[in-house]
Amino acid sequence: MSQLVANYTPREIVSELDRYIVGQNRAKRAVAIALRNRWRRQQVSDELREEIVPKNIIMIGPTGVGKTEIARRLSRLAQAPFIKVEASKFTEVGYVGRDVESMIRDLAEVAVQMLRAEQVERVQVRAKEHAEERLVDLLAKKHRDGSADDREQHQIVGPFFVSPQGEVSGQRADEDEVNAIRAKLRSGQLDQENIELDVAEGATPLVSVFGGHGLEEMEIQLKDMLSNLPGFKNKKKRRKLKVKDARRMLEEEEAQKLVDMDQVTRDAITRTEQSGIVFLDEIDKVVGRPGAHTGPDVSREGVQRDLLPIVEGSTVNTKYGTVKTDHILFIAAGAFHVAKVSDLVPELQGRFPIRVELDSLGKDDFIRILTEPKNALTRQYQALMSTEGITLQFTERAIDEIAGYAASANNRAENIGARRLHTVMEALLEELSFGASERSDAIVTIDADDVRKTLEPIVNDEDLAKYIL
Protein backbone atom coordinates (compact mmCIF):
# COMPACT_ATOMS: atom_id res chain seq x y z
CA MET A 1 0.00 0.00 0.00
CA SER A 2 1.32 3.46 -0.83
CA GLN A 3 2.65 5.67 1.92
CA LEU A 4 -0.22 7.87 3.07
CA VAL A 5 1.29 9.41 6.21
CA ALA A 6 4.73 10.64 7.24
CA ASN A 7 7.03 8.06 8.81
CA TYR A 8 8.17 10.03 11.89
CA THR A 9 8.76 8.38 15.26
CA PRO A 10 7.05 9.97 18.30
CA ARG A 11 10.42 11.15 19.59
CA GLU A 12 11.19 12.88 16.29
CA ILE A 13 7.78 14.56 16.30
CA VAL A 14 8.22 15.84 19.86
CA SER A 15 11.75 17.02 19.01
CA GLU A 16 10.43 19.02 16.04
CA LEU A 17 7.63 20.54 18.13
CA ASP A 18 10.20 21.49 20.80
CA ARG A 19 11.87 23.79 18.27
CA TYR A 20 8.81 26.06 18.27
CA ILE A 21 6.79 25.34 21.41
CA VAL A 22 8.00 25.62 25.01
CA GLY A 23 6.83 23.02 27.51
CA GLN A 24 3.46 21.23 27.19
CA ASN A 25 5.19 17.84 26.94
CA ARG A 26 2.02 15.87 27.66
CA ALA A 27 0.20 17.45 24.73
CA LYS A 28 3.19 16.95 22.44
CA ARG A 29 3.45 13.29 23.41
CA ALA A 30 -0.28 12.74 22.84
CA VAL A 31 -0.30 14.18 19.32
CA ALA A 32 3.00 12.44 18.50
CA ILE A 33 1.56 9.05 19.45
CA ALA A 34 -1.65 9.77 17.52
CA LEU A 35 0.32 10.73 14.41
CA ARG A 36 2.56 7.68 14.68
CA ASN A 37 -0.49 5.44 15.06
CA ARG A 38 -1.67 6.71 11.68
CA TRP A 39 1.46 5.20 10.15
CA ARG A 40 1.24 2.01 12.23
CA ARG A 41 -2.32 1.41 11.05
CA GLN A 42 -1.15 1.46 7.42
CA GLN A 43 1.25 -1.41 8.14
CA VAL A 44 -1.29 -3.95 9.46
CA SER A 45 -3.37 -6.33 7.35
CA ASP A 46 -6.31 -4.98 5.37
CA GLU A 47 -8.85 -6.88 7.45
CA LEU A 48 -7.62 -5.51 10.78
CA ARG A 49 -6.89 -2.05 9.41
CA GLU A 50 -10.58 -1.29 9.03
CA GLU A 51 -11.19 -2.17 12.68
CA ILE A 52 -8.55 0.21 14.07
CA VAL A 53 -10.14 3.59 14.68
CA PRO A 54 -8.21 6.74 15.63
CA LYS A 55 -8.12 7.78 19.29
CA ASN A 56 -9.36 11.36 19.13
CA ILE A 57 -7.75 13.93 21.44
CA ILE A 58 -9.15 16.86 23.37
CA MET A 59 -6.66 19.46 24.63
CA ILE A 60 -7.72 21.56 27.63
CA GLY A 61 -5.93 24.74 28.63
CA PRO A 62 -6.20 28.52 28.86
CA THR A 63 -5.67 30.73 25.85
CA GLY A 64 -2.12 31.43 24.73
CA VAL A 65 -0.48 28.23 26.04
CA GLY A 66 0.22 26.58 22.67
CA LYS A 67 -2.87 24.61 21.63
CA THR A 68 -3.23 26.24 18.23
CA GLU A 69 0.53 26.38 17.69
CA ILE A 70 0.77 22.62 18.23
CA ALA A 71 -1.88 22.20 15.53
CA ARG A 72 -0.04 24.49 13.11
CA ARG A 73 3.26 22.67 13.51
CA LEU A 74 1.57 19.27 13.40
CA SER A 75 0.00 20.11 10.04
CA ARG A 76 3.45 20.63 8.53
CA LEU A 77 4.77 17.39 10.00
CA ALA A 78 1.77 15.26 9.07
CA GLN A 79 2.16 15.51 5.27
CA ALA A 80 -1.52 14.59 5.23
CA PRO A 81 -4.73 16.53 4.60
CA PHE A 82 -5.09 18.82 7.61
CA ILE A 83 -7.60 21.52 8.38
CA LYS A 84 -8.13 23.77 11.39
CA VAL A 85 -11.71 24.92 12.00
CA GLU A 86 -13.41 26.98 14.69
CA ALA A 87 -16.28 25.08 16.32
CA SER A 88 -17.96 28.41 17.13
CA LYS A 89 -18.52 29.06 13.40
CA PHE A 90 -20.85 26.11 13.03
CA THR A 91 -24.58 26.22 13.65
CA GLU A 92 -27.22 23.56 14.10
CA VAL A 93 -29.09 22.41 11.01
CA GLY A 94 -31.97 24.84 10.49
CA TYR A 95 -30.02 27.89 11.68
CA VAL A 96 -28.26 30.34 9.39
CA GLY A 97 -24.56 29.54 9.20
CA ARG A 98 -22.18 26.73 8.27
CA ASP A 99 -23.10 23.12 8.89
CA VAL A 100 -20.52 20.77 10.40
CA GLU A 101 -20.19 18.69 7.22
CA SER A 102 -18.52 21.66 5.52
CA MET A 103 -15.29 20.91 7.40
CA ILE A 104 -15.07 17.50 5.68
CA ARG A 105 -15.72 19.15 2.32
CA ASP A 106 -12.94 21.62 3.08
CA LEU A 107 -10.65 18.74 4.10
CA ALA A 108 -11.32 17.00 0.78
CA GLU A 109 -10.50 20.25 -1.03
CA VAL A 110 -7.18 20.45 0.85
CA ALA A 111 -6.41 16.86 -0.17
CA VAL A 112 -7.14 17.57 -3.85
CA GLN A 113 -4.88 20.62 -3.84
CA MET A 114 -2.15 18.59 -2.11
CA LEU A 115 -2.36 15.73 -4.61
CA ARG A 116 -2.48 18.14 -7.56
CA ALA A 117 0.68 19.87 -6.31
CA GLU A 118 2.41 16.49 -5.95
CA GLN A 119 1.42 15.46 -9.48
CA VAL A 120 2.56 18.80 -10.92
CA GLU A 121 5.92 18.30 -9.19
CA ARG A 122 6.27 14.85 -10.81
CA VAL A 123 5.55 16.09 -14.34
CA GLN A 124 7.53 19.32 -14.00
CA VAL A 125 10.44 18.13 -16.18
CA ARG A 126 8.17 17.07 -19.02
CA ALA A 127 6.12 20.25 -18.67
CA LYS A 128 9.27 22.37 -18.99
CA GLU A 129 10.29 20.47 -22.13
CA HIS A 130 6.88 20.95 -23.74
CA ALA A 131 6.79 24.63 -22.77
CA GLU A 132 10.26 25.13 -24.22
CA GLU A 133 9.20 23.57 -27.53
CA ARG A 134 6.20 25.87 -27.74
CA LEU A 135 8.35 28.90 -26.91
CA VAL A 136 10.97 27.94 -29.51
CA ASP A 137 8.28 27.64 -32.20
CA LEU A 138 6.77 30.98 -31.17
CA LEU A 139 10.14 32.73 -31.26
CA ALA A 140 11.16 31.11 -34.54
CA LYS A 141 7.91 32.29 -36.11
CA LYS A 142 8.36 35.80 -34.69
CA HIS A 143 11.97 36.10 -35.84
CA ARG A 144 11.11 34.96 -39.34
CA ASP A 145 7.87 36.93 -39.89
CA GLY A 146 8.58 39.87 -37.56
CA SER A 147 5.47 39.15 -35.45
CA ALA A 148 4.01 36.37 -33.36
CA ASP A 149 0.66 36.18 -35.15
CA ASP A 150 -1.61 33.20 -34.68
CA ARG A 151 1.21 30.69 -34.19
CA GLU A 152 -0.69 29.05 -31.32
CA GLN A 153 -3.57 28.25 -33.69
CA HIS A 154 -1.41 26.95 -36.55
CA GLN A 155 -0.63 23.31 -37.19
CA ILE A 156 2.74 22.10 -38.46
CA VAL A 157 2.41 20.18 -41.73
CA GLY A 158 5.82 19.17 -43.00
CA PRO A 159 7.90 22.33 -43.39
CA PHE A 160 4.83 24.65 -43.35
CA PHE A 161 2.45 26.32 -40.87
CA VAL A 162 -1.24 25.82 -41.75
CA SER A 163 -3.93 28.04 -40.18
CA PRO A 164 -7.37 26.74 -39.12
CA GLN A 165 -8.75 28.32 -42.32
CA GLY A 166 -6.36 26.21 -44.44
CA GLU A 167 -3.97 29.03 -45.30
CA VAL A 168 -0.29 28.13 -45.62
CA SER A 169 1.49 30.94 -43.81
CA GLY A 170 5.18 30.22 -44.29
CA GLN A 171 7.97 27.75 -44.05
CA ARG A 172 8.90 26.34 -40.70
CA ALA A 173 12.29 27.26 -39.28
CA ASP A 174 15.04 24.82 -40.17
CA GLU A 175 16.77 22.69 -37.54
CA ASP A 176 19.82 24.93 -37.22
CA GLU A 177 17.69 28.01 -36.57
CA VAL A 178 15.58 26.14 -34.01
CA ASN A 179 18.69 24.91 -32.19
CA ALA A 180 20.16 28.40 -32.15
CA ILE A 181 16.97 29.86 -30.67
CA ARG A 182 16.79 27.04 -28.10
CA ALA A 183 20.39 27.73 -27.02
CA LYS A 184 19.66 31.45 -26.58
CA LEU A 185 16.47 30.64 -24.69
CA ARG A 186 18.26 28.33 -22.26
CA SER A 187 21.06 30.84 -21.69
CA GLY A 188 18.55 33.58 -20.81
CA GLN A 189 19.47 35.88 -23.71
CA LEU A 190 15.83 36.10 -24.83
CA ASP A 191 14.24 36.58 -21.39
CA GLN A 192 13.46 40.26 -21.96
CA GLU A 193 12.10 39.82 -25.47
CA ASN A 194 8.34 40.29 -25.96
CA ILE A 195 6.09 37.71 -27.57
CA GLU A 196 2.34 37.41 -28.00
CA LEU A 197 0.60 34.49 -26.40
CA ASP A 198 -2.97 33.23 -26.11
CA VAL A 199 -3.72 32.62 -22.42
CA ALA A 200 -6.83 31.36 -20.68
CA GLU A 201 -8.86 34.12 -19.09
CA GLY A 202 -10.08 31.99 -16.22
CA ALA A 203 -13.22 34.12 -15.90
CA THR A 204 -15.74 32.81 -13.38
CA PRO A 205 -19.41 33.78 -13.60
CA LEU A 206 -20.46 36.10 -10.80
CA VAL A 207 -23.00 34.08 -8.83
CA SER A 208 -24.10 34.65 -5.26
CA VAL A 209 -26.54 32.55 -3.25
CA PHE A 210 -28.08 33.94 -0.08
CA GLY A 211 -29.88 31.79 2.42
CA GLY A 212 -29.50 29.17 5.12
CA HIS A 213 -26.89 26.62 6.01
CA GLY A 214 -24.93 24.80 3.34
CA LEU A 215 -25.81 27.20 0.53
CA GLU A 216 -22.19 28.32 0.17
CA GLU A 217 -21.57 24.85 -1.28
CA MET A 218 -24.42 25.39 -3.76
CA GLU A 219 -22.79 28.65 -4.82
CA ILE A 220 -19.49 26.86 -5.53
CA GLN A 221 -21.26 24.14 -7.51
CA LEU A 222 -23.20 26.73 -9.56
CA LYS A 223 -19.98 28.55 -10.39
CA ASP A 224 -18.33 25.29 -11.45
CA MET A 225 -21.31 24.43 -13.64
CA LEU A 226 -21.60 27.84 -15.28
CA SER A 227 -17.86 28.06 -15.91
CA ASN A 228 -18.25 25.14 -18.36
CA LEU A 229 -20.88 26.92 -20.46
CA PRO A 230 -20.00 28.30 -23.93
CA GLY A 231 -18.47 31.72 -23.58
CA PHE A 232 -16.70 30.81 -20.34
CA LYS A 233 -15.04 27.47 -21.06
CA ASN A 234 -11.57 27.63 -22.63
CA LYS A 235 -11.94 31.36 -23.22
CA LYS A 236 -8.60 32.87 -24.23
CA LYS A 237 -7.21 36.29 -24.89
CA ARG A 238 -4.08 37.51 -26.63
CA ARG A 239 -1.44 39.00 -24.31
CA LYS A 240 2.00 40.44 -24.89
CA LEU A 241 4.49 39.01 -22.39
CA LYS A 242 8.19 38.85 -21.79
CA VAL A 243 9.69 35.48 -22.63
CA LYS A 244 10.54 34.66 -18.99
CA ASP A 245 6.89 35.30 -17.97
CA ALA A 246 5.53 33.39 -20.96
CA ARG A 247 7.76 30.44 -20.08
CA ARG A 248 6.29 30.28 -16.57
CA MET A 249 2.72 30.44 -17.86
CA LEU A 250 3.35 27.80 -20.50
CA GLU A 251 4.99 25.50 -17.94
CA GLU A 252 1.94 25.79 -15.69
CA GLU A 253 -0.39 25.15 -18.62
CA GLU A 254 1.57 22.12 -19.82
CA ALA A 255 1.79 20.73 -16.28
CA GLN A 256 -1.98 20.95 -15.89
CA LYS A 257 -2.41 19.07 -19.19
CA LEU A 258 -0.18 16.26 -17.94
CA VAL A 259 -1.99 15.88 -14.60
CA ASP A 260 -4.70 13.22 -14.53
CA MET A 261 -7.36 14.96 -12.44
CA ASP A 262 -9.53 11.84 -12.23
CA GLN A 263 -6.65 9.98 -10.59
CA VAL A 264 -5.90 12.98 -8.39
CA THR A 265 -9.51 13.03 -7.18
CA ARG A 266 -9.55 9.30 -6.43
CA ASP A 267 -6.26 9.48 -4.52
CA ALA A 268 -7.39 12.61 -2.66
CA ILE A 269 -10.55 10.90 -1.41
CA THR A 270 -8.49 7.91 -0.24
CA ARG A 271 -5.96 10.11 1.52
CA THR A 272 -8.70 12.14 3.19
CA GLU A 273 -10.36 9.01 4.52
CA GLN A 274 -7.21 7.21 5.62
CA SER A 275 -4.97 9.99 6.93
CA GLY A 276 -7.03 13.19 7.21
CA ILE A 277 -6.74 15.26 10.40
CA VAL A 278 -9.27 17.84 11.63
CA PHE A 279 -8.27 20.28 14.38
CA LEU A 280 -11.47 21.49 16.03
CA ASP A 281 -10.60 24.64 17.97
CA GLU A 282 -12.79 26.47 20.50
CA ILE A 283 -14.79 23.32 21.23
CA ASP A 284 -15.80 24.79 24.61
CA LYS A 285 -17.77 27.52 22.80
CA VAL A 286 -20.43 25.00 21.73
CA VAL A 287 -21.04 23.81 25.29
CA GLY A 288 -24.44 24.93 26.54
CA ARG A 289 -24.46 27.14 29.62
CA PRO A 290 -25.82 25.42 32.73
CA GLY A 291 -29.49 26.27 33.26
CA ALA A 292 -29.92 27.84 29.81
CA HIS A 293 -32.56 26.08 27.73
CA THR A 294 -33.63 28.76 25.28
CA GLY A 295 -32.08 31.01 22.69
CA PRO A 296 -28.70 30.35 21.10
CA ASP A 297 -27.75 27.70 23.67
CA VAL A 298 -30.17 25.33 21.98
CA SER A 299 -28.05 25.68 18.86
CA ARG A 300 -24.89 24.95 20.84
CA GLU A 301 -26.07 21.52 21.86
CA GLY A 302 -27.42 21.09 18.35
CA VAL A 303 -23.91 21.61 16.96
CA GLN A 304 -22.65 18.91 19.33
CA ARG A 305 -25.34 16.53 18.10
CA ASP A 306 -24.39 17.32 14.49
CA LEU A 307 -20.71 16.78 15.28
CA LEU A 308 -21.36 13.39 16.82
CA PRO A 309 -22.02 11.36 13.62
CA ILE A 310 -19.09 13.06 11.85
CA VAL A 311 -16.66 12.16 14.64
CA GLU A 312 -18.21 8.72 15.11
CA GLY A 313 -18.03 7.88 11.43
CA SER A 314 -20.42 8.75 8.62
CA THR A 315 -20.47 9.48 4.89
CA VAL A 316 -20.29 13.07 3.67
CA ASN A 317 -21.05 14.16 0.11
CA THR A 318 -18.46 16.43 -1.50
CA LYS A 319 -18.11 17.66 -5.06
CA TYR A 320 -15.32 15.10 -5.51
CA GLY A 321 -17.38 12.15 -4.25
CA THR A 322 -18.38 10.65 -0.92
CA VAL A 323 -15.94 10.73 2.00
CA LYS A 324 -16.16 8.32 4.92
CA THR A 325 -15.08 9.89 8.21
CA ASP A 326 -14.52 6.64 10.16
CA HIS A 327 -10.72 6.94 10.18
CA ILE A 328 -10.26 10.72 10.19
CA LEU A 329 -8.41 11.89 13.31
CA PHE A 330 -10.12 14.68 15.26
CA ILE A 331 -8.14 16.84 17.70
CA ALA A 332 -10.29 19.24 19.70
CA ALA A 333 -9.10 22.09 21.90
CA GLY A 334 -10.71 24.57 24.24
CA ALA A 335 -10.01 26.78 27.25
CA PHE A 336 -13.04 25.53 29.23
CA HIS A 337 -13.02 28.58 31.53
CA VAL A 338 -16.78 28.60 32.09
CA ALA A 339 -17.81 25.14 31.00
CA LYS A 340 -16.14 21.80 31.71
CA VAL A 341 -15.42 18.88 29.41
CA SER A 342 -18.07 16.96 31.33
CA ASP A 343 -20.64 19.52 30.11
CA LEU A 344 -20.31 18.18 26.57
CA VAL A 345 -23.00 15.72 25.59
CA PRO A 346 -21.92 12.27 26.89
CA GLU A 347 -21.84 10.69 23.43
CA LEU A 348 -19.39 13.33 22.18
CA GLN A 349 -17.22 12.99 25.28
CA GLY A 350 -16.89 9.29 24.53
CA ARG A 351 -15.57 10.02 21.05
CA PHE A 352 -12.57 11.90 22.52
CA PRO A 353 -10.99 9.26 24.78
CA ILE A 354 -7.63 11.04 25.18
CA ARG A 355 -7.71 14.20 27.31
CA VAL A 356 -4.63 16.34 27.84
CA GLU A 357 -4.39 19.37 30.11
CA LEU A 358 -1.96 22.10 29.10
CA ASP A 359 -0.17 24.07 31.80
CA SER A 360 -0.53 27.79 32.37
CA LEU A 361 2.58 29.81 31.57
CA GLY A 362 4.62 31.76 34.10
CA LYS A 363 7.69 33.97 34.11
CA ASP A 364 10.18 31.13 33.61
CA ASP A 365 8.19 29.88 30.62
CA PHE A 366 8.16 33.37 29.12
CA ILE A 367 11.94 33.59 29.42
CA ARG A 368 12.26 30.34 27.49
CA ILE A 369 9.70 31.50 24.89
CA LEU A 370 11.71 34.68 24.31
CA THR A 371 15.00 32.85 23.81
CA GLU A 372 14.67 29.17 22.88
CA PRO A 373 12.25 28.66 19.94
CA LYS A 374 13.49 28.97 16.38
CA ASN A 375 10.85 31.65 15.82
CA ALA A 376 11.31 33.44 19.17
CA LEU A 377 9.88 36.96 19.38
CA THR A 378 13.29 38.46 20.06
CA ARG A 379 14.65 36.88 16.86
CA GLN A 380 11.68 38.18 14.90
CA TYR A 381 12.24 41.77 16.05
CA GLN A 382 15.99 41.45 15.41
CA ALA A 383 15.25 40.33 11.84
CA LEU A 384 12.81 43.22 11.33
CA MET A 385 15.31 45.80 12.59
CA SER A 386 18.11 44.33 10.48
CA THR A 387 16.16 45.44 7.39
CA GLU A 388 16.82 49.03 8.56
CA GLY A 389 20.52 48.31 9.11
CA ILE A 390 20.14 48.11 12.91
CA THR A 391 21.57 45.30 15.02
CA LEU A 392 19.13 44.82 17.90
CA GLN A 393 20.39 43.11 21.06
CA PHE A 394 18.71 42.09 24.32
CA THR A 395 20.62 41.52 27.56
CA GLU A 396 19.72 38.59 29.81
CA ARG A 397 18.43 41.00 32.46
CA ALA A 398 16.22 42.68 29.85
CA ILE A 399 14.70 39.33 28.88
CA ASP A 400 14.08 38.62 32.56
CA GLU A 401 12.34 41.97 33.05
CA ILE A 402 10.19 41.56 29.93
CA ALA A 403 9.06 38.12 31.12
CA GLY A 404 8.33 39.51 34.59
CA TYR A 405 6.17 42.34 33.28
CA ALA A 406 4.26 39.93 31.00
CA ALA A 407 3.58 37.54 33.88
CA SER A 408 2.54 40.44 36.11
CA ALA A 409 0.13 41.77 33.48
CA ASN A 410 -1.43 38.32 33.13
CA ASN A 411 -1.93 38.07 36.90
CA ARG A 412 -3.47 41.53 37.23
CA ALA A 413 -5.73 41.34 34.16
CA GLU A 414 -7.07 38.55 31.98
CA ASN A 415 -4.56 35.72 31.54
CA ILE A 416 -3.88 35.50 27.80
CA GLY A 417 -0.75 33.39 28.10
CA ALA A 418 2.15 33.91 25.71
CA ARG A 419 0.12 36.38 23.65
CA ARG A 420 0.86 38.90 26.40
CA LEU A 421 4.49 38.93 25.23
CA HIS A 422 3.39 40.44 21.91
CA THR A 423 1.73 43.41 23.60
CA VAL A 424 4.66 43.93 25.98
CA MET A 425 7.25 43.76 23.19
CA GLU A 426 5.27 46.16 21.02
CA ALA A 427 5.01 48.67 23.87
CA LEU A 428 8.73 48.30 24.60
CA LEU A 429 9.94 48.72 21.01
CA GLU A 430 7.35 51.19 19.72
CA GLU A 431 9.76 54.16 19.76
CA LEU A 432 12.53 52.19 18.09
CA SER A 433 10.19 50.81 15.40
CA PHE A 434 8.87 54.30 14.63
CA GLY A 435 12.27 55.95 14.24
CA ALA A 436 14.40 53.04 13.02
CA SER A 437 14.72 54.35 9.47
CA GLU A 438 16.12 57.68 10.78
CA ARG A 439 18.64 56.35 13.31
CA SER A 440 22.35 56.53 12.61
CA ASP A 441 23.55 54.08 15.26
CA ALA A 442 24.00 50.56 13.92
CA ILE A 443 23.75 48.71 17.25
CA VAL A 444 20.88 49.10 19.73
CA THR A 445 21.06 47.22 23.02
CA ILE A 446 17.98 46.83 25.19
CA ASP A 447 18.91 46.39 28.87
CA ALA A 448 16.91 46.05 32.08
CA ASP A 449 16.88 49.84 32.68
CA ASP A 450 15.35 50.45 29.24
CA VAL A 451 12.63 47.89 29.95
CA ARG A 452 11.79 49.38 33.36
CA LYS A 453 11.87 52.96 32.05
CA THR A 454 9.39 52.12 29.28
CA LEU A 455 7.06 49.65 30.96
CA GLU A 456 6.99 50.75 34.62
CA PRO A 457 4.79 53.83 34.02
CA ILE A 458 2.35 51.75 32.01
CA VAL A 459 2.14 48.95 34.58
CA ASN A 460 1.67 51.35 37.50
CA ASP A 461 -1.22 53.12 35.79
CA GLU A 462 -3.96 50.48 35.94
CA ASP A 463 -6.21 52.24 33.47
CA LEU A 464 -3.36 52.64 30.98
CA ALA A 465 -2.14 49.06 31.48
CA LYS A 466 -5.64 47.79 30.82
CA TYR A 467 -5.58 49.24 27.29
CA ILE A 468 -1.90 48.95 26.35
CA LEU A 469 -0.73 45.70 28.00
Side-chain angles (χ1 to χ4, degrees), residues 18-116:
D18 283 340
R19 297 174 61 194
Y20 300 96
I21 303 161
V22 169
Q24 313 303 359
N25 291 325
R26 285 176 295 176
K28 292 175 186 174
R29 287 169 66 92
V31 297
I33 292 169
L35 194 59
R36 181 63 175 183
N37 281 340
R38 311 292 279 164
W39 176 85
R40 290 167 177 158
R41 178 177 168 272
Q42 304 297 336
Q43 314 309 313
V44 303
S45 63
D46 292 345
E47 182 180 354
L48 192 57
R49 185 184 304 132
E50 292 303 311
E51 302 299 325
I52 299 175
V53 296
K55 306 301 186 291
N56 298 321
I57 302 168
I58 186 163
M59 294 193 292
I60 307 158
T63 184
V65 297
K67 300 187 298 294
T68 305
E69 188 66 15
I70 287 174
R72 284 182 57 223
R73 300 300 168 182
L74 186 67
S75 67
R76 300 180 187 182
L77 283 173
Q79 296 178 12
F82 181 101
I83 188 169
K84 174 185 175 291
V85 295
E86 306 285 339
S88 55
K89 291 185 178 179
F90 297 121
T91 57
E92 183 182 0
V93 173
Y95 285 75
V96 175
R98 301 196 74 191
D99 64 293
V100 295
E101 289 187 353
S102 64
M103 65 183 174
I104 304 300
R105 292 191 282 266
D106 292 342
L107 187 65
E109 185 69 42
V110 169
V112 168
Q113 298 301 329
M114 180 184 295
L115 266 295
R116 182 189 285 127

Side-chain angles (χ1 to χ4, degrees), residues 144-319:
R144 185 177 61 257
D145 293 350
S147 67
D149 59 5
D150 303 318
R151 168 66 191 89
E152 287 288 294
Q153 301 176 13
H154 284 60
Q155 291 185 340
I156 299 172
V157 179
F160 300 100
F161 290 116
V162 180
S163 71
Q165 291 76 29
E167 299 174 353
V168 179
S169 59
Q171 192 169 12
R172 189 186 183 194
D174 59 36
E175 196 67 25
D176 291 339
E177 183 183 352
V178 168
N179 289 335
I181 291 173
R182 181 178 288 109
K184 288 183 179 179
L185 185 62
R186 290 176 177 175
S187 66
Q189 297 180 42
L190 304 177
D191 281 357
Q192 299 304 314
E193 189 168 328
N194 291 320
I195 61 169
E196 290 184 354
L197 185 68
D198 288 329
V199 296
E201 278 192 336
T204 303
L206 295 175
V207 179
S208 294
V209 177
F210 300 94
H213 78 283
L215 290 185
E216 70 275 4
E217 308 299 333
M218 184 187 297
E219 180 176 324
I220 294 171
Q221 291 170 8
L222 277 173
K223 287 182 178 179
D224 288 343
M225 181 183 70
L226 294 176
S227 63
N228 290 322
L229 292 176
F232 290 104
K233 187 176 182 180
N234 298 327
K235 190 175 181 181
K236 293 190 174 184
K237 64 179 180 180
R238 177 62 59 89
R239 288 181 59 187
K240 182 175 285 188
L241 301 166
K242 293 190 181 298
V243 167
K244 64 177 183 179
D245 297 325
R247 184 205 291 268
R248 186 179 65 254
M249 295 188 69
L250 288 174
E251 286 176 359
E252 292 174 359
E253 189 176 318
E254 291 298 323
Q256 293 302 325
K257 290 179 183 178
L258 293 169
V259 170
D260 183 354
M261 282 307 299
D262 291 334
Q263 185 64 44
V264 165
T265 300
R266 288 192 296 270
D267 291 345
I269 293 295
T270 300
R271 189 173 294 191
T272 301
E273 293 178 340
Q274 301 300 322
S275 60
I277 301 174
V278 174
F279 185 83
L280 199 57
D281 206 1
E282 308 290 357
I283 188 70
D284 56 314
K285 303 302 187 292
V286 296
V287 177
R289 295 188 181 92
H293 301 290
T294 57
D297 291 308
V298 176
S299 181
R300 294 185 185 206
E301 287 199 5
V303 172
Q304 294 183 56
R305 288 192 296 269
D306 292 343
L307 277 172
L308 183 59
I310 303 293
V311 177
E312 186 177 25
S314 62
T315 301
V316 176
N317 288 317
T318 73
K319 67 179 181 180

Side-chain angles (χ1 to χ4, degrees), residues 370-371 373-395 399 425 429 432-433 442 444-446:
L370 288 169
T371 55
K374 186 178 179 181
N375 61 336
L377 267 181
T378 49
R379 293 192 176 99
Q380 293 179 29
Y381 279 102
Q382 286 168 341
L384 289 173
M385 289 299 103
S386 67
T387 62
E388 303 278 6
I390 294 175
T391 301
L392 181 62
Q393 299 173 345
F394 295 89
T395 65
I399 297 291
M425 290 290 285
L429 299 175
L432 175 62
S433 297
V444 176
T445 301
I446 305 294

Side-chain angles (χ1 to χ4, degrees), residues 58 283-284 286-291 300-301 304 336-349 355:
I58 186 163
I283 188 70
D284 56 314
V286 296
V287 177
R289 295 188 181 92
R300 294 185 185 206
E301 287 199 5
Q304 294 183 56
F336 290 97
H337 286 308
V338 178
K340 303 184 294 292
V341 177
S342 57
D343 292 328
L344 290 166
V345 295
E347 296 86 353
L348 191 59
Q349 290 182 51
R355 300 181 185 180

